[in-house]
Coordinates of all heavy atoms in Angstrom, one line a residue:
M14 N -131.8 -98.6 -4.5 CA -131.6 -98.4 -3.0 C -130.5 -97.3 -2.7 O -130.8 -96.5 -1.8 CB -131.2 -99.7 -2.4 CG -131.3 -99.7 -1.0 SD -132.9 -99.8 -0.4 CE -132.7 -100.3 1.1
L15 N -129.5 -97.4 -3.4 CA -128.4 -96.4 -3.2 C -128.9 -95.0 -3.7 O -128.6 -94.1 -3.1 CB -127.1 -96.8 -4.0 CG -126.0 -95.9 -3.9 CD1 -125.5 -95.7 -2.4 CD2 -124.8 -96.3 -4.8
S16 N -129.7 -95.0 -4.7 CA -130.2 -93.7 -5.3 C -131.1 -93.1 -4.3 O -131.3 -91.8 -4.2 CB -130.8 -93.9 -6.6 OG -132.0 -94.8 -6.5
D17 N -131.9 -93.9 -3.5 CA -132.7 -93.4 -2.5 C -132.0 -92.7 -1.3 O -132.4 -91.6 -0.9 CB -133.6 -94.5 -1.9 CG -134.7 -95.1 -2.9 OD1 -135.0 -94.4 -3.8 OD2 -135.1 -96.2 -2.6
W18 N -130.9 -93.3 -1.0 CA -129.9 -92.7 0.1 C -129.4 -91.4 -0.5 O -129.3 -90.4 0.3 CB -128.9 -93.6 0.5 CG -129.5 -94.8 1.4 CD1 -129.6 -96.0 1.0 CD2 -129.9 -94.6 2.7 NE1 -130.1 -96.7 2.0 CE2 -130.4 -95.8 3.2 CE3 -130.0 -93.5 3.7 CZ2 -130.9 -96.1 4.5 CZ3 -130.5 -93.8 4.9 CH2 -130.9 -95.0 5.3
I19 N -129.0 -91.3 -1.7 CA -128.4 -90.1 -2.3 C -129.5 -89.1 -2.3 O -129.1 -87.9 -2.1 CB -127.8 -90.5 -3.7 CG1 -126.6 -91.4 -3.5 CG2 -127.4 -89.2 -4.4 CD1 -126.0 -91.9 -4.8
A20 N -130.7 -89.4 -2.7 CA -131.7 -88.4 -2.8 C -132.0 -87.9 -1.5 O -132.3 -86.8 -1.2 CB -132.9 -89.1 -3.4
L21 N -132.0 -88.8 -0.4 CA -132.3 -88.4 1.0 C -131.2 -87.4 1.5 O -131.5 -86.5 2.1 CB -132.5 -89.6 2.0 CG -132.7 -89.3 3.4 CD1 -134.1 -88.6 3.5 CD2 -132.7 -90.5 4.2
A22 N -130.0 -87.8 1.2 CA -128.8 -86.8 1.6 C -129.0 -85.6 0.8 O -128.7 -84.5 1.4 CB -127.5 -87.6 1.2
G23 N -129.4 -85.6 -0.4 CA -129.6 -84.3 -1.1 C -130.6 -83.4 -0.5 O -130.5 -82.2 -0.4
V24 N -131.7 -84.0 -0.1 CA -132.9 -83.4 0.5 C -132.4 -82.8 1.8 O -132.7 -81.6 2.2 CB -134.2 -84.2 0.6 CG1 -135.1 -83.6 1.6 CG2 -134.7 -84.5 -0.7
L25 N -131.7 -83.5 2.6 CA -131.2 -83.1 3.9 C -130.3 -82.0 3.8 O -130.2 -81.0 4.5 CB -130.7 -84.3 4.8 CG -131.7 -85.3 5.2 CD1 -131.0 -86.4 6.0 CD2 -132.7 -84.7 6.1
L26 N -129.4 -82.1 2.8 CA -128.4 -81.1 2.6 C -129.1 -79.8 2.1 O -128.7 -78.7 2.5 CB -127.4 -81.5 1.5 CG -126.2 -80.5 1.1 CD1 -125.4 -80.3 2.4 CD2 -125.5 -81.0 -0.1
A27 N -130.1 -79.9 1.2 CA -130.8 -78.7 0.8 C -131.5 -78.0 2.0 O -131.5 -76.8 2.2 CB -131.7 -79.0 -0.3
A28 N -132.1 -78.9 2.8 CA -132.9 -78.3 4.0 C -131.9 -77.6 4.9 O -132.2 -76.5 5.5 CB -133.6 -79.5 4.7
G29 N -130.7 -78.2 5.2 CA -129.7 -77.6 6.0 C -129.2 -76.4 5.4 O -129.0 -75.3 6.2
V30 N -129.0 -76.3 4.2 CA -128.5 -75.0 3.5 C -129.6 -73.9 3.6 O -129.3 -72.8 3.9 CB -128.2 -75.2 2.0 CG1 -127.9 -73.9 1.3 CG2 -126.9 -76.1 2.0
N31 N -130.9 -74.4 3.4 CA -131.9 -73.3 3.5 C -132.1 -72.8 5.0 O -132.3 -71.6 5.2 CB -133.3 -74.0 3.1 CG -133.3 -74.1 1.5 OD1 -132.8 -73.3 0.8 ND2 -134.0 -75.0 1.0
A32 N -132.0 -73.7 5.9 CA -132.0 -73.4 7.3 C -131.0 -72.5 7.7 O -131.1 -71.4 8.4 CB -132.1 -74.5 8.3
A33 N -129.8 -72.7 7.3 CA -128.6 -71.9 7.5 C -128.8 -70.4 7.0 O -128.5 -69.5 7.6 CB -127.3 -72.5 7.1
G34 N -129.3 -70.4 5.6 CA -129.6 -69.2 5.0 C -130.6 -68.4 5.7 O -130.5 -67.2 5.9
Y35 N -131.7 -69.1 6.2 CA -132.7 -68.4 7.0 C -132.2 -67.8 8.3 O -132.5 -66.6 8.7 CB -133.8 -69.4 7.4 CG -134.8 -68.8 8.3 CD1 -135.8 -67.9 7.8 CD2 -134.9 -69.2 9.6 CE1 -136.7 -67.4 8.7 CE2 -135.7 -68.6 10.5 CZ -136.7 -67.7 10.0 OH -137.6 -67.3 10.9
L36 N -131.3 -68.6 9.0 CA -130.7 -68.0 10.2 C -129.8 -66.9 10.0 O -129.8 -65.9 10.7 CB -129.9 -69.1 11.0 CG -130.8 -70.3 11.5 CD1 -129.9 -71.3 12.1 CD2 -131.7 -69.8 12.6
V37 N -129.0 -66.8 8.9 CA -128.1 -65.8 8.5 C -129.0 -64.5 8.2 O -128.7 -63.4 8.7 CB -127.2 -66.1 7.3 CG1 -126.5 -64.9 6.8 CG2 -126.2 -67.2 7.7
A38 N -130.1 -64.7 7.5 CA -130.9 -63.6 7.1 C -131.6 -63.1 8.3 O -131.7 -61.8 8.5 CB -132.0 -63.9 6.0
W39 N -132.1 -63.9 9.2 CA -132.8 -63.5 10.4 C -131.7 -62.6 11.4 O -132.0 -61.6 11.9 CB -133.2 -64.7 11.2 CG -133.9 -64.4 12.5 CD1 -135.2 -63.8 12.6 CD2 -133.4 -64.4 13.8 NE1 -135.5 -63.7 13.9 CE2 -134.4 -64.0 14.7 CE3 -132.3 -64.9 14.3 CZ2 -134.3 -64.0 16.0 CZ3 -132.0 -65.0 15.7 CH2 -133.1 -64.5 16.5
G40 N -130.5 -63.1 11.4 CA -129.5 -62.4 12.2 C -129.2 -61.0 11.6 O -129.1 -60.0 12.4
A41 N -129.2 -61.0 10.3 CA -128.8 -59.7 9.6 C -130.0 -58.7 9.9 O -129.8 -57.5 10.1 CB -128.6 -59.9 8.1
M42 N -131.2 -59.2 9.7 CA -132.4 -58.3 9.9 C -132.5 -57.9 11.4 O -132.9 -56.8 11.6 CB -133.7 -59.1 9.5 CG -133.8 -59.2 8.0 SD -135.4 -60.0 7.5 CE -136.5 -58.9 8.0
K43 N -132.1 -58.8 12.3 CA -132.2 -58.5 13.7 C -131.1 -57.3 14.1 O -131.5 -56.4 14.7 CB -131.9 -59.6 14.6 CG -132.0 -59.4 16.1 CD -131.8 -60.6 16.9 CE -131.9 -60.3 18.4 NZ -131.6 -61.4 19.2
G44 N -130.0 -57.5 13.4 CA -128.9 -56.4 13.5 C -129.3 -55.1 12.9 O -129.1 -54.0 13.6
A45 N -130.0 -55.2 11.7 CA -130.5 -53.9 11.1 C -131.5 -53.3 12.0 O -131.6 -52.0 12.2 CB -131.1 -54.2 9.8
V46 N -132.5 -54.1 12.5 CA -133.5 -53.5 13.4 C -132.9 -52.9 14.7 O -133.4 -51.7 15.1 CB -134.6 -54.6 13.8 CG1 -135.5 -54.1 14.9 CG2 -135.4 -54.9 12.6
T47 N -132.0 -53.5 15.2 CA -131.3 -52.9 16.5 C -130.6 -51.7 16.1 O -130.7 -50.7 16.9 CB -130.3 -54.0 16.9 OG1 -131.0 -55.2 17.3 CG2 -129.6 -53.5 18.3
A48 N -130.0 -51.6 14.9 CA -129.2 -50.4 14.6 C -130.2 -49.3 14.2 O -130.0 -48.1 14.7 CB -128.4 -50.7 13.3
L49 N -131.3 -49.6 13.6 CA -132.3 -48.6 13.4 C -133.0 -48.1 14.6 O -133.3 -46.9 14.7 CB -133.4 -49.2 12.4 CG -133.0 -49.3 10.9 CD1 -134.1 -50.0 10.2 CD2 -132.6 -48.0 10.3
T50 N -133.2 -48.9 15.6 CA -133.8 -48.5 16.8 C -132.9 -47.6 17.6 O -133.3 -46.6 18.1 CB -134.0 -49.8 17.7 OG1 -135.0 -50.7 17.0 CG2 -134.7 -49.4 19.1
T51 N -131.6 -47.9 17.6 CA -130.6 -47.0 18.2 C -130.5 -45.7 17.5 O -130.5 -44.6 18.1 CB -129.2 -47.7 18.1 OG1 -129.3 -49.0 18.7 CG2 -128.2 -46.7 18.8
R52 N -130.6 -45.7 16.1 CA -130.7 -44.4 15.3 C -131.8 -43.6 15.6 O -131.7 -42.4 15.7 CB -130.5 -44.8 13.9 CG -130.5 -43.7 12.9 CD -129.2 -43.0 12.9 NE -129.2 -41.9 11.8 CZ -128.5 -40.9 11.9 NH1 -127.8 -40.6 13.0 NH2 -128.6 -40.0 11.0
I53 N -133.0 -44.3 15.8 CA -134.2 -43.5 16.0 C -134.1 -42.9 17.4 O -134.5 -41.7 17.5 CB -135.4 -44.5 15.9 CG1 -135.7 -44.8 14.5 CG2 -136.6 -43.9 16.6 CD1 -136.7 -45.9 14.3
A54 N -133.7 -43.6 18.4 CA -133.5 -42.9 19.8 C -132.5 -41.7 19.7 O -132.9 -40.8 20.3 CB -133.0 -44.0 20.7
M55 N -131.5 -41.9 18.9 CA -130.5 -40.7 18.8 C -131.3 -39.5 18.1 O -131.1 -38.4 18.5 CB -129.3 -41.2 18.0 CG -128.3 -40.1 17.9 SD -126.8 -40.5 17.1 CE -127.5 -40.7 15.4
L56 N -132.0 -39.8 17.0 CA -132.7 -38.7 16.3 C -133.8 -38.1 17.2 O -134.0 -36.8 17.1 CB -133.3 -39.3 15.0 CG -132.3 -39.7 13.9 CD1 -133.0 -40.3 12.7 CD2 -131.5 -38.4 13.4
E57 N -134.5 -38.9 18.0 CA -135.5 -38.3 18.8 C -134.8 -37.4 19.8 O -135.3 -36.2 20.2 CB -136.2 -39.4 19.6 CG -137.2 -40.1 18.7 CD -137.9 -41.3 19.4 OE1 -137.4 -41.8 20.5 OE2 -138.9 -41.8 18.9
G58 N -133.7 -37.7 20.3 CA -132.9 -36.9 21.2 C -132.5 -35.5 20.6 O -132.6 -34.5 21.2
Q59 N -132.0 -35.7 19.3 CA -131.7 -34.5 18.6 C -132.9 -33.6 18.2 O -132.7 -32.3 18.3 CB -130.9 -34.9 17.3 CG -129.6 -35.4 17.5 CD -129.0 -36.0 16.2 OE1 -129.6 -36.1 15.2 NE2 -127.7 -36.2 16.3
M60 N -134.0 -34.2 18.0 CA -135.2 -33.4 17.8 C -135.6 -32.6 19.1 O -136.1 -31.5 19.0 CB -136.4 -34.3 17.3 CG -136.2 -34.8 15.9 SD -136.1 -33.5 14.7 CE -137.8 -32.8 14.8
R61 N -135.5 -33.2 20.2 CA -135.8 -32.5 21.5 C -134.9 -31.4 21.6 O -135.3 -30.2 22.0 CB -135.6 -33.5 22.6 CG -136.8 -34.4 22.9 CD -136.6 -35.2 24.2 NE -137.2 -36.4 24.0 CZ -136.6 -37.6 23.9 NH1 -135.3 -37.6 23.9 NH2 -137.3 -38.7 23.7
A62 N -133.6 -31.5 21.3 CA -132.6 -30.4 21.4 C -133.0 -29.3 20.4 O -133.0 -28.1 20.7 CB -131.2 -30.8 21.0
V63 N -133.4 -29.7 19.2 CA -133.9 -28.7 18.2 C -135.2 -27.9 18.7 O -135.2 -26.7 18.5 CB -134.2 -29.3 16.8 CG1 -134.9 -28.3 15.9 CG2 -132.8 -29.8 16.2
D64 N -136.1 -28.6 19.4 CA -137.3 -28.0 19.8 C -136.9 -27.0 21.0 O -137.5 -25.9 21.0 CB -138.2 -29.0 20.4 CG -138.9 -29.8 19.3 OD1 -139.0 -29.4 18.1 OD2 -139.5 -30.9 19.6
E65 N -136.0 -27.3 21.8 CA -135.5 -26.5 22.8 C -134.8 -25.2 22.2 O -135.0 -24.1 22.7 CB -134.5 -27.2 23.8 CG -135.2 -28.3 24.7 CD -134.2 -29.0 25.5 OE1 -133.0 -28.6 25.5 OE2 -134.6 -30.0 26.1
W66 N -134.0 -25.4 21.1 CA -133.4 -24.3 20.5 C -134.5 -23.3 19.9 O -134.3 -22.1 19.9 CB -132.5 -24.7 19.4 CG -131.2 -25.3 19.9 CD1 -130.7 -25.2 21.2 CD2 -130.2 -26.2 19.3 NE1 -129.5 -26.0 21.4 CE2 -129.3 -26.5 20.1 CE3 -130.3 -26.6 17.9 CZ2 -128.1 -27.3 19.8 CZ3 -129.1 -27.4 17.6 CH2 -128.1 -27.8 18.5
K67 N -135.5 -24.0 19.4 CA -136.6 -23.1 18.8 C -137.2 -22.3 19.9 O -137.5 -21.1 19.6 CB -137.7 -24.0 18.2 CG -137.4 -24.7 16.8 CD -138.6 -25.4 16.4 CE -138.3 -26.3 15.2 NZ -139.5 -27.1 14.8
L68 N -137.5 -22.8 21.0 CA -138.0 -22.1 22.1 C -137.1 -21.0 22.6 O -137.6 -19.8 22.8 CB -138.4 -23.0 23.3 CG -139.5 -24.0 23.1 CD1 -139.6 -24.9 24.3 CD2 -140.8 -23.3 22.9
D69 N -135.8 -21.3 22.6 CA -134.9 -20.3 22.9 C -134.8 -19.1 22.0 O -134.8 -18.0 22.3 CB -133.5 -20.9 23.1 CG -133.3 -21.8 24.3 OD1 -134.1 -21.6 25.2 OD2 -132.3 -22.5 24.4
V70 N -134.9 -19.5 20.7 CA -134.9 -18.5 19.7 C -136.2 -17.6 19.8 O -136.1 -16.4 19.5 CB -134.8 -19.1 18.3 CG1 -135.1 -18.1 17.1 CG2 -133.3 -19.6 18.1
A71 N -137.3 -18.2 20.0 CA -138.6 -17.5 20.1 C -138.5 -16.5 21.3 O -138.9 -15.3 21.2 CB -139.7 -18.5 20.3
R72 N -137.9 -16.9 22.4 CA -137.8 -16.1 23.6 C -136.9 -14.9 23.3 O -137.2 -13.7 23.6 CB -137.2 -16.8 24.8 CG -138.3 -17.7 25.4 CD -137.6 -18.4 26.7 NE -138.3 -19.6 26.9 CZ -137.8 -20.9 27.0 NH1 -136.5 -21.0 26.6 NH2 -138.6 -21.9 27.3
L73 N -135.7 -15.2 22.6 CA -134.9 -14.1 22.2 C -135.5 -13.2 21.3 O -135.3 -11.9 21.3 CB -133.6 -14.7 21.7 CG -132.6 -15.5 22.6 CD1 -131.5 -16.0 21.9 CD2 -132.1 -14.4 23.6
E74 N -136.2 -13.6 20.4 CA -136.9 -12.8 19.4 C -137.9 -11.9 20.1 O -138.0 -10.7 19.8 CB -137.7 -13.7 18.4 CG -138.3 -12.9 17.2 CD -138.8 -13.8 16.1 OE1 -138.8 -15.1 16.2 OE2 -139.6 -13.2 15.2
T75 N -138.7 -12.4 21.0 CA -139.5 -11.6 21.9 C -138.9 -10.5 22.6 O -139.3 -9.4 22.6 CB -140.4 -12.5 22.9 OG1 -141.0 -13.6 22.2 CG2 -141.4 -11.7 23.6
R76 N -137.7 -10.9 23.2 CA -136.9 -9.8 24.0 C -136.3 -8.8 23.0 O -136.4 -7.6 23.3 CB -135.8 -10.5 24.7 CG -136.3 -11.3 25.9 CD -135.1 -11.9 26.6 NE -135.6 -12.9 27.6 CZ -134.8 -13.8 28.2 NH1 -133.6 -14.0 27.9 NH2 -135.3 -14.5 29.1
L77 N -135.9 -9.2 21.8 CA -135.4 -8.3 20.9 C -136.5 -7.3 20.4 O -136.2 -6.2 20.3 CB -134.8 -9.1 19.7 CG -134.1 -8.2 18.6 CD1 -133.0 -7.4 19.2 CD2 -133.6 -9.1 17.5
D78 N -137.6 -7.9 20.2 CA -138.8 -7.0 19.7 C -139.1 -6.0 20.8 O -139.3 -4.8 20.6 CB -140.0 -7.8 19.5 CG -140.0 -8.7 18.2 OD1 -139.1 -8.4 17.3 OD2 -140.7 -9.6 18.1
A79 N -139.1 -6.4 22.1 CA -139.4 -5.4 23.2 C -138.3 -4.4 23.2 O -138.5 -3.2 23.4 CB -139.5 -6.2 24.4
L80 N -137.0 -4.8 23.0 CA -135.9 -3.8 23.1 C -135.9 -2.9 21.9 O -135.8 -1.7 22.1 CB -134.5 -4.7 23.0 CG -133.4 -3.9 23.1 CD1 -133.2 -3.1 24.4 CD2 -132.1 -4.7 22.9
I81 N -136.4 -3.4 20.7 CA -136.5 -2.5 19.6 C -137.6 -1.5 19.9 O -137.5 -0.2 19.6 CB -136.7 -3.3 18.3 CG1 -135.5 -4.0 17.9 CG2 -137.3 -2.4 17.3 CD1 -135.7 -4.9 16.8
E82 N -138.7 -1.9 20.5 CA -139.8 -1.0 20.9 C -139.3 0.1 21.9 O -139.7 1.2 21.7 CB -140.9 -1.9 21.4 CG -142.2 -1.0 21.5 CD -142.8 -0.5 20.2 OE1 -142.6 -1.1 19.2 OE2 -143.4 0.6 20.2
H83 N -138.6 -0.3 22.8 CA -137.9 0.7 23.8 C -137.1 1.7 23.2 O -137.2 2.9 23.4 CB -137.3 0.0 24.9 CG -138.1 -0.8 25.9 ND1 -139.2 -0.2 26.6 CD2 -138.2 -2.1 26.3 CE1 -139.8 -1.1 27.3 NE2 -139.1 -2.2 27.2
V84 N -136.3 1.2 22.2 CA -135.4 2.1 21.5 C -136.2 3.1 20.7 O -135.9 4.3 20.6 CB -134.4 1.3 20.6 CG1 -133.7 2.2 19.7 CG2 -133.4 0.6 21.5
R85 N -137.2 2.6 20.0 CA -138.1 3.5 19.2 C -138.8 4.6 20.1 O -138.9 5.8 19.8 CB -139.2 2.7 18.5 CG -138.6 1.9 17.3 CD -139.7 1.2 16.6 NE -139.1 0.4 15.5 CZ -139.7 -0.6 14.9 NH1 -140.9 -1.1 15.4 NH2 -139.1 -1.2 13.9
D86 N -139.3 4.1 21.3 CA -139.9 5.1 22.3 C -138.9 6.1 22.7 O -139.1 7.3 22.8 CB -140.4 4.3 23.4 CG -141.6 3.5 23.1 OD1 -142.3 3.7 22.0 OD2 -142.0 2.7 23.9
L87 N -137.6 5.6 22.9 CA -136.6 6.6 23.4 C -136.3 7.6 22.3 O -136.1 8.8 22.6 CB -135.3 5.8 23.9 CG -134.1 6.6 24.4 CD1 -134.6 7.4 25.6 CD2 -133.0 5.7 24.6
N88 N -136.1 7.1 21.1 CA -135.8 7.9 20.0 C -137.0 9.0 19.8 O -136.8 10.2 19.6 CB -135.7 7.1 18.7 CG -135.1 7.9 17.6 OD1 -134.5 8.9 17.8 ND2 -135.2 7.3 16.4
A89 N -138.2 8.5 19.9 CA -139.4 9.5 19.8 C -139.3 10.5 21.0 O -139.6 11.7 20.7 CB -140.7 8.7 19.8
S90 N -139.0 10.1 22.2 CA -138.8 11.0 23.3 C -137.8 12.1 23.0 O -137.9 13.3 23.3 CB -138.6 10.3 24.6 OG -139.7 9.5 24.9
L91 N -136.6 11.6 22.5 CA -135.5 12.6 22.3 C -135.9 13.5 21.1 O -135.6 14.7 21.2 CB -134.2 11.7 21.8 CG -133.6 10.9 22.9 CD1 -132.5 10.1 22.4 CD2 -133.0 11.9 24.0
R92 N -136.6 13.0 20.1 CA -137.1 14.0 19.1 C -138.0 15.1 19.7 O -138.0 16.2 19.4 CB -137.7 13.2 18.0 CG -136.8 12.8 16.9 CD -137.6 12.4 15.6 NE -137.0 11.1 15.2 CZ -137.7 10.0 15.1 NH1 -139.0 10.0 15.2 NH2 -137.1 8.9 14.7
W93 N -138.9 14.5 20.6 CA -139.9 15.5 21.1 C -139.2 16.5 22.0 O -139.6 17.6 22.0 CB -140.9 14.7 22.0 CG -141.9 15.5 22.7 CD1 -143.0 16.0 22.1 CD2 -141.8 15.8 24.0 NE1 -143.6 16.8 23.1 CE2 -143.0 16.7 24.3 CE3 -140.9 15.7 25.1 CZ2 -143.2 17.3 25.5 CZ3 -141.2 16.3 26.3 CH2 -142.4 17.1 26.6
M94 N -138.1 16.1 22.8 CA -137.4 17.0 23.6 C -136.6 18.0 22.8 O -136.4 19.2 23.2 CB -136.5 16.2 24.5 CG -137.3 15.4 25.5 SD -136.2 14.4 26.6 CE -134.9 15.3 27.0
R95 N -136.1 17.7 21.5 CA -135.3 18.5 20.8 C -136.2 19.6 20.0 O -135.7 20.6 19.5 CB -134.5 17.8 19.8 CG -133.4 17.0 20.4 CD -132.6 16.3 19.5 NE -131.5 15.6 20.1 CZ -130.8 14.7 19.5 NH1 -131.0 14.4 18.2 NH2 -129.9 14.0 20.0
E96 N -137.5 19.3 19.8 CA -138.3 20.2 19.0 C -138.5 21.5 19.8 O -138.6 21.5 21.0 CB -139.6 19.5 18.8 CG -139.6 18.4 17.7 CD -141.1 17.8 17.6 OE1 -142.0 18.3 18.2 OE2 -141.1 16.9 16.8
P97 N -138.4 22.6 19.1 CA -138.7 23.9 19.7 C -140.2 23.9 20.2 O -141.1 23.3 19.6 CB -138.4 24.9 18.7 CG -138.6 24.2 17.4 CD -138.3 22.8 17.6
A98 N -140.4 24.7 21.2 CA -141.8 24.9 21.7 C -142.6 25.5 20.7 O -142.2 26.4 20.0 CB -141.7 25.6 23.1
A99 N -143.9 25.3 20.7 CA -144.8 25.9 19.7 C -145.0 27.3 20.1 O -145.1 28.2 19.2 CB -146.2 25.2 19.8
R100 N -145.1 27.7 21.3 CA -145.1 29.1 21.7 C -144.1 29.4 22.8 O -144.0 28.6 23.7 CB -146.5 29.5 22.1 CG -147.0 28.8 23.2 CD -148.5 29.0 23.6 NE -148.9 28.2 24.6 CZ -149.6 28.6 25.7 NH1 -150.0 29.8 25.8 NH2 -149.9 27.8 26.5
P101 N -143.5 30.5 22.7 CA -142.5 30.8 23.7 C -143.2 31.0 25.0 O -144.2 31.6 25.1 CB -141.8 32.0 23.2 CG -142.6 32.6 22.1 CD -143.6 31.5 21.6
R102 N -142.5 30.6 26.1 CA -143.1 30.7 27.5 C -142.4 32.0 28.0 O -141.4 32.4 27.7 CB -142.7 29.5 28.3 CG -143.3 28.2 27.9 CD -142.8 27.1 28.8 NE -143.5 25.9 28.4 CZ -143.3 24.8 29.2 NH1 -142.4 24.8 30.2 NH2 -143.8 23.7 28.8
S103 N -143.3 32.6 28.9 CA -142.9 33.7 29.6 C -142.0 33.2 30.7 O -142.4 32.2 31.4 CB -143.9 34.6 30.1 OG -144.8 33.8 31.0
P104 N -140.9 33.9 31.1 CA -140.1 33.5 32.2 C -140.8 33.6 33.5 O -141.6 34.4 33.8 CB -138.9 34.4 32.1 CG -139.2 35.5 31.3 CD -140.4 35.1 30.5
H105 N -140.6 32.7 34.3 CA -141.2 32.6 35.7 C -140.2 33.4 36.6 O -139.0 33.3 36.5 CB -141.5 31.2 36.1 CG -142.4 30.5 35.3 ND1 -143.8 30.8 35.3 CD2 -142.4 29.5 34.4 CE1 -144.4 30.0 34.5 NE2 -143.6 29.1 33.9
G106 N -140.8 33.9 37.6 CA -140.0 34.6 38.6 C -140.3 36.0 38.7 O -141.3 36.5 38.3
F107 N -139.3 36.8 39.2 CA -139.5 38.2 39.3 C -139.3 38.9 38.0 O -138.6 38.7 37.2 CB -138.6 38.8 40.3 CG -138.6 38.0 41.7 CD1 -137.7 37.1 42.1 CD2 -139.6 38.4 42.6 CE1 -137.9 36.4 43.3 CE2 -139.7 37.8 43.8 CZ -138.8 36.8 44.1
G108 N -140.2 39.9 37.9 CA -140.0 40.8 36.7 C -141.1 41.8 36.6 O -142.1 41.7 37.3
P109 N -141.1 42.5 35.5 CA -142.2 43.5 35.3 C -143.5 42.9 35.0 O -143.8 42.0 34.5 CB -141.7 44.4 34.3 CG -140.5 43.8 33.7 CD -140.1 42.7 34.5

């Protein structure tokens, strides 16, 4: 009879230890999931910022390409203006 009570106490003690271990593990997993959720939200915000920077860089690249094209056109115009005329022109105005 005493051994039955000792066995019952052992079973109850084991069940209590297992339940406590389960609760500790559940709390740890809940904390980990909360931390990961927070981290994911932060990373999504950073990804939005990176996407905005990509758009800014693309706009600047487009503007830079247009500016380079204008400089090339200006350089070609200056070269054209410096080249001597193919045939000399006769002066306009009064003369023989």
Side-chain angles (χ1 to χ4, degrees):
M14 189 74 161
L15 181 62
S16 63
D17 291 339
W18 286 108
I19 293 173
L21 180 62
V24 168
L25 291 176
L26 182 65
V30 168
N31 284 333
Y35 173 77
L36 290 175
V37 168
W39 181 75
M42 288 182 64
K43 185 177 177 183
V46 168
T47 302
L49 287 174
T50 303
T51 303
R52 178 78 173 146
I53 287 171
M55 184 182 68
L56 288 174
E57 286 175 345
Q59 290 175 347
M60 288 300 295
R61 281 188 212 105
V63 168
D64 287 340
E65 290 174 8
W66 288 343
K67 283 183 192 178
L68 291 173
D69 289 343
V70 167
R72 286 185 201 115
L73 289 174
E74 188 176 356
T75 303
R76 289 179 186 166
L77 183 61
D78 289 343
L80 182 61
I81 289 172
E82 190 63 31
H83 287 303
V84 169
R85 286 181 182 158
D86 289 344
L87 180 60
N88 194 17
S90 295
L91 289 174
R92 272 196 226 123
W93 178 80
M94 289 170 51
R95 288 182 182 167
E96 288 179 1
R100 57 185 178 137
R102 295 183 178 180
S103 60
H105 296 286
F107 299 104

